[in-house]
Amino acid sequence: MLASTASRWLHTARLGIGEHYRIIQSNPLSRIGFRLIVVFLVIAAFAPWIAPHDPWEMVYDKDGQFASLRPPSWEFPLGTTHLGYDLFSQLVLAARTTLVIGAVSGIISILIGANIGLIAGYYGGKVDEVLMRLTDILYGMPFLPFIIVLIALFGRKLEFVILAIVLIIWRTSARVIRAQTISIKQRQFILAAKARGASDLRIIYRHILPNVLPLLLLYAAFNIAWSIITEASASFLGFGDGETISWGGMLYELWLSGKTRVAWWWFAAPSICIVLLVTSLVFVSRAYEEVANPRLRKR
Amino acid sequence: MTKVTTADEFVLQVRGLGVRYQTSQGTVHAVSDVSFEVRKNEVFGIAGESGCGKSTLIRALLRLLPDNADSAAELALYRDQDLYGLSDADFRQNILWQEISLVPQSAMNSLNPVYRVGDQVVEAIRTHRRVSKAEARGRVAELFDVVGLQADLMQSFPHEFSGGMRQRAMIAMSLALDPGLIIMDEPTTGLDVLVQERILRRIREIRSEISSSIILITHDIAVIAEMSDRIAIMYGGQFMEQANAIDLFENPYHPYTLGLKNAFPSIRELGSELISIPGSPPTLVGPVTNCPFQPRCPFHLDRCASENPLPINFGEDHQVRCFRSEDANQLRHLAAEKSTWRSLN
Amino acid sequence: MALIELNQLTRHFEIRPGLVDRTVRGKPSRLIKAVESLNIAVGENEILGIAGESGCGKSTTCMMIAGLLPPTRGQIIYRGSDLATADAAVRKEHRRNVQMIFQDPYESLNPRFRVADIVAEGPRALRLWDQKEIGDRVESMLAGVGLNPGKYTERFPHELSGGERQRVGIASALVMQPVMIIADEPLSMLDVSIRAGILDLFRELQDQRGFSSVYVSHDLAILGNVADRLMVMYLGQAMEVGPVEQVIRSPKHPYTRALIGAVAVPDPRVKRPVPKISGDISRPIDPPPGCRFAPRCPYADDSCHDTFLELDTSDPTRHQAACHRLHVLPDEGL
């Protein structure tokens, strides 16, 4: 029984991939966005092999001179910091942290948000009331004081940064998925599924979920983008993990060094990466938005 | 035509009207080579199933087609005005509502929910006629009375109306400027039996009081039989058969008409067997090179697949597009047998 | 023993006014009495037609018989046991054995399911057979409703025509091998030329498999064609019941007479009489006791406004009307 259910899911998923590919390819912006994301993923995956130096290695140029605050050159493609760290190496390795944080917190938050939204929307009544009041409370919670308290209590650890981001961003996806669930559960095919004997859980996960999937993927992309931005701001303000390097953390180092006005290259590289990655995610999510909301579709 | 008719007997004359849509699948010939006349003070019924082109046809006449459609006709005369010769502005100013009005299919969506129903009719009058508000109101009260709505309902909002009342309000609006021709697109579809009965009766009463002609469009064979003086049966964008109502029901020629008649249940003939027409309507993509009904027709000849029959006249007022119309007597008998239609698959 | 018996079946819905209206203005909540004290039995192999206009309670009745909506009062007796108090095994059997076919073939199929999965959903949800057998049965069922399995199993609903969709809907109900089919206006969204085919299919399958049916429609001509017995409802009350030909050919109740007289006839020579009723249909919100048709009935007297005459269903073959005033009605046939 279990095996056959699994094989059926696999079957559906395989067919699903084709459909997603079609959605992404349907629109030039999302095509570009998708390619950029793939590039970032490849860079993150092979970061240790791509980066010529250790991120915290003081580098010397070929003349044996200590390379402090060098602008981009053939030797140091993105320049160096005042302590002589190679920015290209930092950027490549930071891509890994940033993508991991984005993916992990984006995915965990969408999982929480989707489940809470589906359950609240489907059951309604008291269940809905309790779950939605919970999200309302989270809506009232400002991000920065929240992460400050969390870091103060547990220290500057990657896990807590992710935890803080997740706790803050699942709420929007929960609300949106709930609204969509409420509208889908009133459709006749849900009644038909009930009449055929499907249980509540079966209706939620087998009948409603595939219908909220485009919306869910849209919000997954949003959540990832938001996690990346949030992590960058947290790191920039000094609440990131001190042990690992991220794009936001690089900007924080720049700020600490006091060289903001001189080292434009130091500022440029991580900022452009953040903007590119977030924009790519938004472009891809635009394609899903057209599926989730057919009115946006061009005729 | 054998009968001598003068042009002023006709309210509307259409010859060779066609509508094409450009879609991603190709060119859809939604309406092709449709010719008909609407005479003074008559109800001309157009019956057909979904996708047969009946709504496209009236949209073409009223210039309500979407951008990806274009329409042309050899002749389209309203009284003595060439409908295709007018500019859009001219058409909207002088023809639409003034001369040809529309009772749309969904009255719910046609009334603005935030304005009072009476005010919406007043507005419709005052955009075309220079009359005072009070005069217009008086006219609306009159119209409400004609369609059987109490005058105090003018103050209500659309959501306070039932489906039948909304439909009556739309009929009142269509009558507002004394048009020569009223087009009613499925005016009672979706309404309950008793409400439908009452609206149809009201339309008949109105007709005997005013001098407008009516084009009635519906998929409901019973409604069209009860309401129309003349009827056209539409399929695949063409008029398959048109005749006066009694002749069409008593001496149908076209296999599609025969099929429709047998498929439609009558409360007066309980035990009678209903016979469906196997298959589904054509998609109408690409040029019309065959009889659109040929794939579903149990009587089709070889030439039906390669040639589209032209209308043939039978008697004074009966036209049929079918190569086998000479055999009609025999076909009528065969069409009443279920096995005839079954054998097709 | 009847397959399904409805005993004083009643369903009310509460409309609660908004918070402000309720607390500040003290508005009471109102009751929509959608179905009121319905008594009827459906035997094995029988097709009971239910006719009525919108708001007559026919869909609510369907939902209750299918077990999708609990009654406010009264009982649904399935093969001798009251569903409200029956044990889980009986309820599961009822869930499987009483299946629904829905009105809107465009809405009642999950747009993200393939045809095979739609039809297999019931057996899978209730774990009736193993996957292989479910697959086989789905294929033979699709063939049984005239859809070639090789061609249709992998399709999505949007790739089907209205008639094909309705066939899928019928297959997904019948694959469960039910003993009763509740059909809520299954033809009203379909084109005329296709309707007869679906109706044929329905009757053919009924002959083969011998299920009973509650067939709901506003179209009396179709009901006259498909049903064995007919019940006419108005604002939640049963007005008349009897063998279908008798009800349609010689209706007793003033409402049934008006309703049948109002049905358009596909014959331009027929002139129908003007129905003898006044006013518009309302909604059954806080209705007074008595017959709900009385305010529109030209023959009503005080007794009609005070008490409602319930049908006596002890003899299922009897043609009877819930009317105090039958003796004063003029004798008129159609």
Side-chain angles (χ1 to χ4, degrees):
Chain A
M1 179 72 209
L2 200 67
S4 64
T5 312
S7 80
R8 214 165 51 238
W9 264 104
L10 270 179
H11 181 61
T12 324
R14 210 173 44 229
L15 292 163
I17 287 169
E19 197 188 335
H20 295 312
Y21 186 74
R22 199 175 42 74
I23 291 171
I24 287 166
Q25 294 294 321
S26 67
N27 161 336
L29 284 181
S30 75
R31 218 152 44 213
I32 294 169
F34 181 69
R35 285 180 195 159
L36 275 173
I37 291 170
V38 170
V39 169
F40 277 119
L41 283 173
V42 169
I43 290 174
F46 297 99
W49 294 276
I50 295 172
H53 304 279
D54 187 272
W56 287 294
E57 179 198 336
M58 293 186 184
V59 291
Y60 294 85
D61 63 17
K62 54 182 182 294
D63 302 331
Q65 295 277 325
F66 178 48
S68 168
L69 275 186
R70 295 285 174 85
S73 62
W74 280 114
E75 208 176 350
F76 307 111
L78 295 176
T80 63
T81 76
H82 67 306
L83 294 176
Y85 302 153
D86 176 37
L87 278 168
F88 178 69
S89 306
Q90 286 204 335
L91 193 81
V92 165
L93 286 156
R96 214 177 226 207
T97 325
T98 305
L99 280 174
V100 165
I101 290 178
V104 171
S105 34
I107 288 165
I108 296 178
S109 63
I110 197 71
L111 283 179
I112 297 176
N115 279 293
I116 289 195
L118 282 166
I119 287 167
Y122 179 73
Y123 286 104
K126 290 230 166 65
V127 177
D128 184 32
E129 197 79 1
V130 169
L131 290 174
M132 283 304 109
R133 288 306 79 79
L134 189 72
T135 54
D136 286 349
I137 291 168
L138 279 171
Y139 260 105
M141 192 118 71
F143 175 66
L144 286 173
F146 180 66
I147 194 169
I148 291 169
V149 170
L150 211 67
I151 300 290
L153 284 176
F154 301 104
R156 286 171 61 184
K157 275 266 172 54
L158 199 60
E159 296 92 292
F160 296 114
V161 176
I162 291 178
L163 179 70
I165 293 174
V166 165
L167 282 177
I168 292 296
I169 62 175
W170 68 264
R171 56 196 186 186
T172 310
S173 24
R175 282 210 159 263
V176 176
I177 302 279
R178 169 182 172 268
Q180 179 88 345
T181 305
I182 289 175
S183 94
I184 287 172
K185 87 167 175 187
Q186 283 156 356
R187 295 189 51 189
Q188 213 177 37
F189 63 82
I190 297 300
L191 188 67
K194 268 187 213 170
R196 303 282 175 263
S199 63
D200 286 347
L201 286 180
R202 196 176 169 88
I203 289 175
I204 292 176
Y205 291 105
R206 226 177 114 61
H207 292 262
I208 298 180
L209 181 62
N211 285 285
V212 300
L213 203 61
L215 191 73
L216 201 143
L217 291 170
L218 167 69
Y219 272 82
F222 276 163
N223 283 1
I224 293 172
W226 270 109
S227 306
I228 289 166
I229 292 177
T230 310
E231 191 277 336
S233 0
S235 297
F236 176 71
L237 293 169
F239 301 115
D241 184 338
E243 306 289 309
T244 45
I245 187 159
S246 73
W247 292 337
M250 289 168 71
L251 292 172
Y252 176 58
E253 296 289 322
L254 166 67
W255 177 253
L256 280 186
S257 72
K259 305 286 186 213
T260 324
R261 280 160 191 275
V262 219
W264 57 267
W265 58 90
W266 192 350
F267 168 76
S271 314
I272 289 173
C273 283
I274 292 172
V275 171
L276 273 183
L277 182 55
V278 169
T279 319
S280 307
L281 283 161
V282 171
F283 282 167
V284 170
S285 64
R286 271 278 314 168
Y288 277 97
E289 200 164 12
E290 285 180 11
V291 180
N293 186 355
R295 254 174 295 173
L296 291 177
R297 222 170 289 171
K298 275 181 232 130
R299 277 158 201 255
Chain B
M1 204 155 273
T2 50
K3 202 169 91 178
V4 184
T5 44
T6 51
D8 56 79
E9 252 186 78
F10 298 130
V11 177
L12 185 73
Q13 275 178 287
V14 174
R15 212 174 302 144
L17 183 117
V19 182
R20 289 179 305 186
Y21 285 100
Q22 304 300 333
T23 70
S24 50
Q25 271 98 47
T27 305
V28 173
H29 293 254
V31 175
S32 33
D33 192 21
V34 163
S35 304
F36 63 101
E37 298 93 29
V38 180
R39 294 170 195 169
K40 261 191 189 143
N41 208 5
E42 82 169 351
V43 177
F44 183 71
I46 302 176
E49 302 180 276
S50 48
C52 73
K54 54 192 194 300
S55 293
T56 302
L57 170 64
I58 57 157
R59 279 196 211 124
L61 290 175
L62 292 169
R63 298 204 182 181
L64 298 172
L65 288 171
D67 293 340
N68 63 341
D70 65 290
S71 74
E74 285 162 33
L75 178 78
L77 282 184
Y78 171 77
R79 298 226 158 102
D80 49 8
Q81 290 194 70
D82 177 9
L83 288 178
Y84 279 82
L86 294 166
S87 73
D88 277 358
D90 240 14
F91 184 83
R92 232 169 315 179
Q93 187 58 36
N94 299 320
I95 300 289
L96 205 58
W97 292 109
Q98 297 260 40
E99 296 297 342
I100 306 177
S101 67
L102 173 71
V103 178
Q105 183 161 11
S106 131
M108 182 65 201
N109 301 332
S110 308
L111 290 164
N112 189 329
V114 299
Y115 294 108
R116 293 176 198 280
V117 177
D119 292 348
Q120 297 188 42
V121 187
V122 166
E123 191 57 36
I125 296 175
R126 281 169 46 98
T127 20
H128 288 97
R129 295 265 162 90
R130 282 203 193 153
V131 290
S132 72
K133 248 195 176 141
E135 273 176 283
R137 272 183 194 287
R139 173 81 180 129
V140 177
E142 241 176 77
L143 291 167
F144 267 43
D145 185 54
V146 169
V147 297
L149 290 171
Q150 281 157 329
D152 55 352
L153 289 170
M154 280 168 64
Q155 295 306 312
S156 307
F157 288 96
H159 69 91
E160 298 169 295
F161 273 28
S162 69
M165 288 156 87
R166 271 185 229 126
Q167 200 61 52
R168 281 186 237 184
M170 287 311 298
I171 295 174
M173 202 186 280
S174 76
L175 295 170
L177 301 170
D178 291 315
L181 178 65
I182 305 169
I183 299 178
M184 299 186 175
D185 188 4
E186 304 268 9
T188 58
T189 301
L191 298 178
D192 275 321
V193 180
L194 282 159
V195 182
Q196 161 172 308
E197 197 279 337
R198 211 184 289 175
I199 287 184
L200 294 181
R201 185 147 39 86
R202 188 58 79 170
I203 294 174
R204 277 196 292 263
E205 283 164 14
I206 292 166
R207 210 190 119 208
S208 60
E209 287 162 18
I210 59 169
S211 56
S212 309
S213 307
I214 295 173
I215 294 180
L216 175 72
I217 289 171
T218 177
H219 68 281
D220 190 322
I221 311 293
V223 167
I224 213 125
E226 291 203 344
M227 297 296 294
S228 316
D229 301 310
R230 289 191 309 129
I231 297 173
I233 303 286
M234 199 167 181
Y235 184 85
Q238 301 182 356
F239 279 2
M240 293 310 209
E241 181 161 9
Q242 54 178 317
N244 74 65
I246 289 172
D247 204 25
L248 188 95
F249 274 85
E250 290 177 358
N251 297 304
Y253 281 81
H254 200 282
Y256 179 61
T257 316
L258 300 174
L260 266 191
K261 261 192 76 194
N262 292 325
F264 202 85
S266 167
I267 197 165
R268 300 290 170 96
E269 292 158 33
L270 280 185
S272 71
E273 193 178 35
L274 300 181
I275 306 170
S276 72
I277 306 174
S280 44
T283 55
L284 303 176
V285 178
V288 187
T289 54
N290 62 342
C291 165
F293 189 59
Q294 174 266 331
R296 296 174 81 184
C297 180
F299 310 123
H300 67 89
L301 306 171
D302 289 342
R303 65 189 292 214
C304 301
S306 54
E307 212 178 320
N308 189 16
L310 292 170
I312 308 168
N313 283 318
F314 286 89
E316 283 189 0
D317 193 14
H318 198 142
Q319 284 152 42
V320 187
R321 286 188 105 114
C322 180
F323 289 129
R324 297 206 61 187
S325 39
E326 302 289 345
D327 311 329
N329 252 330
Q330 183 199 351
L331 302 192
R332 280 174 209 145
H333 286 291
L334 286 171
E337 299 294 326
K338 200 165 208 159
S339 52
T340 307
W341 298 85
R342 279 260 166 104
S343 65
L344 205 63
N345 300 17
Chain C
M1 183 174 60
L3 185 59
I4 285 264
E5 208 181 316
L6 309 182
N7 186 6
Q8 293 287 315
L9 190 69
T10 300
R11 175 72 206 200
H12 296 168
F13 295 98
E14 199 180 352
I15 331 173
R16 284 161 60 104
L19 190 69
V20 175
D21 277 348
R22 202 163 65 224
T23 50
V24 181
R25 301 196 185 124
K27 270 198 187 168
S29 56
R30 299 190 297 171
L31 280 184
I32 299 183
K33 301 195 171 179
V35 175
E36 193 75 43
S37 305
L38 209 57
N39 299 314
I40 190 102
V42 188
E44 306 272 355
N45 245 325
E46 183 188 38
I47 301 184
L48 172 74
I50 303 183
E53 298 175 272
S54 41
C56 77
K58 52 193 197 294
S59 293
T60 309
T61 307
C62 282
M63 300 270 286
M64 286 194 284
I65 301 175
L68 296 172
L69 189 71
T72 307
R73 194 157 27 86
Q75 296 157 316
I76 301 161
I77 296 161
Y78 166 74
R79 287 190 163 151
S81 40
D82 179 358
L83 276 187
T85 54
D87 55 35
V90 174
R91 291 165 75 108
K92 190 180 170 194
E93 189 198 312
H94 167 265
R95 160 85 4 273
R96 172 189 171 173
N97 277 344
V98 177
Q99 284 299 325
M100 261 184 110
I101 299 173
F102 294 89
Q103 174 179 15
D104 187 342
Y106 292 89
E107 258 292 300
S108 59
L109 308 182
N110 193 328
R112 306 219 148 237
F113 274 41
R114 286 165 197 279
V115 166
D117 288 326
I118 291 171
V119 179
E121 180 58 12
R124 280 178 189 160
L126 293 181
R127 305 195 174 168
L128 294 182
W129 308 291
D130 64 41
Q131 284 302 329
K132 164 119 188 30
E133 187 169 0
I134 290 177
D136 294 346
R137 282 172 186 261
V138 166
E139 291 208 346
S140 65
M141 192 66 239
L142 282 173
V145 297
L147 299 176
N148 177 357
K151 205 167 135 198
Y152 286 94
T153 46
E154 289 291 302
R155 292 206 190 168
F156 282 107
H158 66 83
E159 298 167 307
L160 307 177
S161 72
E164 288 167 343
R165 281 159 172 257
Q166 200 53 293
R167 282 169 197 267
V168 172
I170 291 173
S172 71
L174 286 181
V175 75
M176 312 277 280
Q177 303 199 310
V179 296
M180 173 176 268
I181 289 285
I182 296 168
D184 189 358
E185 304 257 15
L187 301 180
S188 66
M189 313 284 285
L190 300 177
D191 268 330
V192 178
S193 68
I194 292 168
R195 279 183 198 175
I198 301 282
L199 207 57
D200 271 347
L201 173 71
F202 186 81
R203 268 190 302 228
E204 208 171 276
L205 291 165
Q206 206 238 355
D207 277 350
Q208 282 167 20
R209 294 163 174 251
F211 52 79
S212 320
S213 180
V214 172
Y215 192 107
V216 169
S217 179
H218 70 283
D219 188 333
L220 283 150
I222 283 183
L223 283 171
N225 212 282
V226 71
D228 300 317
R229 263 194 317 148
L230 184 63
M231 174 163 76
V232 178
M233 290 178 74
Y234 184 80
L235 294 185
Q237 293 172 329
M239 294 284 143
E240 181 158 355
V241 69
V244 71
E245 296 222 350
Q246 286 182 36
V247 176
I248 289 181
R249 291 231 164 93
S250 47
K252 292 176 184 242
H253 197 285
Y255 175 66
T256 319
R257 291 182 183 190
L259 193 64
I260 289 171
V263 177
V265 182
D267 181 349
R269 286 194 194 272
V270 170
K271 295 286 167 268
R272 287 180 294 104
V274 178
K276 286 182 194 145
I277 56 166
S278 53
D280 269 324
I281 195 164
S282 55
R283 296 176 69 200
I285 300 174
D286 290 331
C291 175
R292 291 183 189 163
F293 183 63
R296 298 177 72 188
C297 180
Y299 310 105
D301 70 357
D302 290 347
S303 63
C304 301
H305 292 281
D306 295 339
T307 52
F308 178 63
L309 188 72
E310 277 171 29
L311 296 174
D312 163 28
T313 51
S314 52
D315 177 7
T317 57
R318 217 178 104 204
H319 177 194
Q320 48 179 327
C323 183
H324 295 288
R325 307 277 292 157
L326 287 176
H327 57 280
V328 303
L329 300 185
D331 208 21
E332 53 181 332
L334 285 170

